[in-house]
Amino acid sequence: MMINVKWVLQRLPHWEIVLLLIFALLGSFEGVLNGFVLGRLPSLTQATTAQRYQYLGQALVAYAGTYTCLFIFQLLIQDALRRLNIALKETLLTVSFETSEAPSAGLNRLTNDAAQIQGRYFEVILAILSAGFGAITAAIFVLVTNWMMGLISIAFSALTMVPMLFGQTKLAALGKRWSTANAATLAAGSDWLEGRGDLVQYQAAGSFFDRVKQRLAVSEKRLQQQTNGQLRVQYGNWMLTVLTLIGPLAIGFWLIHVGGFGVTISVLLTLLLSVDHVTMNIRMLIQYWSQLTGTRELRHLPQAPTPLLSQRTPTRGKGQIDLQGVTIAYGDQPILAATDMALTPGTKLLVSGPSGSGKSTLLRVLGGWQQPTDGRVLVDGEAPAPAKTTYINQTPWVFAGTVRENLTLGQTFTDDALLAALSQVGLTTELGDKPLDRVIAPDQASISGGQLQRLALARGLLRKRPVMLLDEITAGLDDRNAQQIRNLIYHLPNTIIEAAHHFDDAQLQADHVLHYQLTPAHILAPMS
Ligand SMILES: Nc1ncnc2c1ncn2[C@@H]1O[C@H](COP(=O)(O)OP(=O)(O)OP(=O)(O)O)[C@@H](O)[C@H]1O
């Protein structure tokens, strides 16, 4: 997806676009106001006092009217920016969510990228309106004053575009390099803060901080290179602007000398006063253009292969799972050799295997979070999707808020349904008198590991999905908590597939749980 002019226009109401155009046009008369009003002064030497006051009145209306239009234009710009910023941040958050980006990358988009796009794209597009109309109004005024000298002056103005034509691609590349380096710095900063515990206990803070410092130095260097690139283009523009002033004057003096095209010193003076606004606006347009192109890479947003937000609603099947020739590999690394398997509704299956054998990968494929390399998985006869199954891992996320908010996630459930889910996982009494109103936080400090896993199970049970995929959910728990959770899940009516290193053979047998292993030959085989 690309944040471009079309995207911008689609997010602004039509009436606002029309008003922006009208007030940008009216405000653009500011550029020729001095030339127009002051240019009439010499004719007042012969005028009556009444005519002079009439002239003054007209000048007052012209100046006050133009500045009022400029003021309204600025108010409209602020309103448009508000709308665009809301739409932009919503879009960036959605893109990060859809593409499963790391939170640090998503936050980088939301803060740095959003600020850059706002300052160097949205504001610039709106400023282009004003500069564009300013250039057109001034150009028409100049041509009407003296078409030949006007054309010469405008032709010289066009020279200021030259540096931009050459610098455009380079500036876009510099913008991208800065963004990449900045994302790396943020990732290192996030590691530095998140990994504080290990860095302190292993006394590795000093050595690790070198990495943060290196990345910081690189990203600041890239920012400087980006700004320097823009400055170089600007310097080229300034030099050419000098030429656009001197060149037409030289030609004008020669035309006066030979008496051509009615050029006089006062024509040159009027042109000098107004052509400045043609050049200035064109120069600003080029500068704005350089900023626009500098953000091109930032505005190009990644597209998720399988959008997560447009998932279909869950099926109401019973929980039959079929694997038909399912093969899984990461490039050359095999995970699962071609496997056929049928699990009837309500089956309880434990998949064990050494670390790195592919248990999590298998569960993600069964849940539709990633595709198999070959073959197909069917859940109740359909391709699996995250919205059809429940997948819980070792570290479920706690959202800042109450237990109720953590269960509903903003959806509508009755308190009775919530309490029933809590009761199913044995959490009704442990969380106090009013368990649904209990406040918990993302750092999980206010809730134990076992309670957290049971809360995540309750969140899943509430949605009544027939299939539950449980990835090492007891890994961080002591034996008593692990046993409690397994007692719970093995007695649910759902189809349960659990991946785990540790298990209790006696419990598996007592609860008739199938036990398969992912072998070193990448085969899913029953444990003998
Ligand atoms: N996105 C990925 N791209 C490439 N390789 C991956 C990816 N995810 C996992 N792997 C690799 O695939 C193998 C299986 O990983 P997986 O996490 O599924 O194993 P696991 O059995 O769940 O391990 P553990 O018990 O340690 O959690 C590992 O070697 C891992 O490095």
Side-chain angles (χ1 to χ4, degrees), residues 330 333 335 353-362 364 471-472 501:
Y330 288 112
Q333 185 191 356
I335 299 289
S355 173
S357 56
K359 301 182 294 296
S360 301
T361 303
L362 176 63
R364 283 200 301 271
D471 192 358
E472 298 279 9
H501 278 102

Side-chain angles (χ1 to χ4, degrees), residues 272-348:
L272 263 188
L273 264 180
S274 319
V275 147
D276 186 37
H277 286 275
V278 182
T279 18
M280 185 189 75
N281 281 314
I282 289 183
R283 202 169 64 237
M284 278 163 72
L285 281 174
I286 291 163
Q287 197 179 320
Y288 292 152
W289 180 252
S290 84
Q291 292 185 3
L292 288 188
T293 50
T295 59
R296 191 190 293 150
E297 297 288 345
L298 282 181
R299 290 182 286 110
H300 185 80
L301 305 179
Q303 194 89 38
T306 328
L308 297 176
L309 284 174
S310 50
Q311 295 284 329
R312 281 180 297 150
T313 47
T315 50
R316 295 287 170 214
K318 292 193 166 66
Q320 168 82 25
I321 300 180
D322 294 289
L323 279 75
Q324 300 176 346
V326 173
T327 308
I328 309 174
Y330 288 112
D332 294 340
Q333 185 191 356
I335 299 289
L336 183 69
T339 301
D340 291 295
M341 194 181 217
L343 299 176
T344 53
T347 301
K348 310 288 178 284

Side-chain angles (χ1 to χ4, degrees), residues 20 37 45 65 110 172 253 260 282 291 339 346 362 406 424 472 482 503:
L20 275 165
V37 174
T45 40
L110 194 63
F253 289 160
I282 289 183
Q291 292 185 3
T339 301
L362 176 63
N406 266 278
Q424 245 184 313
E472 298 279 9
F503 42 86

Side-chain angles (χ1 to χ4, degrees), residues 142-154 261 267 271:
V142 162
L143 288 174
V144 168
T145 305
N146 185 294
W147 70 269
M148 177 46 86
M149 273 314 298
L151 273 182
I152 291 170
S153 310
I154 292 170
F261 296 104
V267 163
L271 284 180

Side-chain angles (χ1 to χ4, degrees), residues 188-202:
S190 157
D191 270 354
W192 165 253
L193 295 174
E194 303 258 9
R196 186 186 289 122
D198 277 347
L199 296 178
V200 168
Q201 67 170 325
Y202 301 128

